[in-house]
Amino acid sequence: GCAGNAGGGGGGGEGDVLTVGFAQTGSESGWRAANTESMKEAFSEENGFNLIFNAADNKQEAQIAAVRSFINQGVDAIVIAPITVDGWDDVLKEAKDAGIPVVLEDRTVNVDDDSLYASWVGLDFEKEGETAGAWAKETFTEPTNMVVLEGTTGSAPALDRATGFATGSEGAPITTLDSQTGDFTRDGGKKVMEGFLQKYGDSINLLFAHNDDMGLGALDAITAAGLTPGTDIQIVTIDAVRDGMQALADGQFNFIVECNPLLGEKVAEVVKKVVAGETVEKTTIVEDQSFTPEQAKEALPDRKY
Ligand code: GZL
């Protein structure tokens, strides 16, 4: 490490500016944009931070490289929204050896030794999936063919939403015709849905998209195929970003489970405590809710994102 920063930079006494490196996944979705904005607002100068922001273009190797550069800069703390759950042990060990605490926000990691990160502020992705699955079970009592647009392969939300959906829809007459990743992007959702429609055509009754953005991309493919989203193919998604909520209010989506991106304030609070050597909760789960079309119409005017 560089001389003089072995202790991980300044940030000692009260009122010092804390230099924090934030390794964001990228800018793949509306959810991500809202999360980035929330983090930048919370880690502002007036809140006592010097934020070094990096968006990794949804590639883990770029995200790990960003974390390494934060270590070399001797920041006071590192925040990561880990793109995938695996592959973090080495770089987190390097941060620990450099005496730099790491806080996870949004997604989480699978590591052998969870002392490698101080705290995780995120969402209950499995519960989100379960809520979507329970809606599907309640809605589909006749034999139903479903296709799934999965999130980024190996990411906590993709893994856990799939698990949760299976639990929530247990026993429903729903057959999964196909399930592929659209990498949480609109373009990915559109392209994969085009493939599904070519293969299965109008035998598809239900689309479960792991986020609104892939569902929004799928809308283009569904209408281009001469089908009506929301009726020929019912759609359930997760996030509840503005464009998704509009599609829900317009009847193109049928149900959305929220995934709250506004985590910045809580993460900043945890980072300050960790740097000050105070004990913090290992996990903080932020509340989510769900929306029908009627509820979306009600909620839209006041939505922050
Ligand atoms: C979930 C978050 C996911 C969103 C997607 O907390 O990690 O990543 O659901 C985003 O929209 O791409």
Side-chain angles (χ1 to χ4, degrees):
C2 22
N5 275 319
E14 218 13 59
D16 282 355
V17 173
L18 293 186
T19 298
V20 175
F22 174 35
Q24 179 60 293
T25 59
S27 52
E28 74 285 352
S29 67
W31 189 96
R32 192 61 53 193
N35 178 248
T36 290
E37 193 184 327
S38 164
M39 289 290 288
K40 286 183 172 176
E41 255 168 47
F43 285 84
S44 63
E45 273 177 41
E46 55 266 26
N47 286 349
F49 292 100
N50 164 32
L51 181 72
I52 309 172
F53 175 77
N54 177 284
D57 192 21
N58 232 21
K59 291 185 180 49
Q60 184 181 28
E61 58 274 15
Q63 198 172 33
I64 288 175
V67 173
R68 284 215 165 92
S69 82
F70 297 150
I71 294 169
N72 293 336
Q73 294 172 61
V75 298
D76 297 307
I78 293 170
V79 178
I80 309 172
I83 291 174
T84 51
V85 293
D86 294 325
W88 291 98
D89 299 82
D90 293 350
V91 74
L92 292 180
K93 277 197 193 88
E94 290 164 34
K96 186 173 185 178
D97 295 347
I100 301 174
V102 173
V103 171
L104 305 179
E105 73 99 16
D106 173 26
R107 302 180 190 174
T108 190
V109 299
N110 285 339
V111 284
D112 309 338
D113 165 12
D114 74 2
S115 76
L116 288 174
Y117 64 90
S119 185
W120 167 48
V121 178
L123 297 307
D124 186 342
F125 304 124
E126 194 160 334
K127 185 160 169 252
E128 292 165 353
E130 201 169 328
T131 305
W135 171 84
K137 182 173 181 176
E138 196 183 293
T139 307
F140 293 91
T141 51
E142 299 303 312
T144 301
N145 292 325
M146 172 173 77
V147 291
V148 180
L149 293 171
E150 299 170 3
T152 300
T153 303
S155 67
L159 294 164
D160 296 352
R161 286 170 182 168
T163 306
F165 190 94
T167 308
S169 62
E170 185 105 44
I174 298 174
T175 304
T176 303
L177 296 177
D178 215 330
S179 181
Q180 283 177 39
T181 183
D183 215 17
F184 280 133
T185 65
R186 288 188 187 216
D187 193 45
K190 180 167 183 273
K191 287 204 171 68
V192 174
M193 192 65 196
E194 281 165 354
F196 289 160
L197 287 160
Q198 269 150 26
K199 258 165 97 177
Y200 307 104
D202 56 10
S203 69
I204 300 169
N205 311 113
L206 167 65
L207 163 63
F208 169 36
H210 285 183
N211 79 333
D212 292 1
D213 280 57
M214 292 189 291
L216 292 164
L219 290 182
D220 297 342
I222 292 168
T223 44
L227 297 169
T228 309
T231 42
D232 295 329
I233 298 179
Q234 295 209 43
I235 301 177
V236 53
T237 67
I238 299 177
D239 272 351
V241 293
R242 179 176 306 289
D243 290 348
M245 292 286 271
Q246 191 58 58
L248 180 61
D250 297 344
Q252 293 190 303
F253 285 179
N254 301 88
F255 190 67
I256 299 186
V257 180
E258 183 187 49
C259 177
N260 189 339
L262 307 181
L263 306 178
E265 218 172 296
K266 186 66 193 168
V267 180
E269 180 196 314
V270 167
V271 166
K272 282 194 171 171
K273 284 184 174 172
V274 168
V275 172
E278 293 167 30
T279 51
V280 294
E281 294 293 316
K282 190 71 179 176
T283 299
T284 305
I285 296 293
V286 173
E287 274 309 297
D288 288 326
Q289 55 183 313
S290 59
F291 298 92
T292 62
E294 283 319 305
Q295 290 164 335
K297 283 178 192 146
E298 291 282 305
L300 260 169
D302 312 332
R303 290 292 282 177
K304 291 202 198 80
Y305 61 92

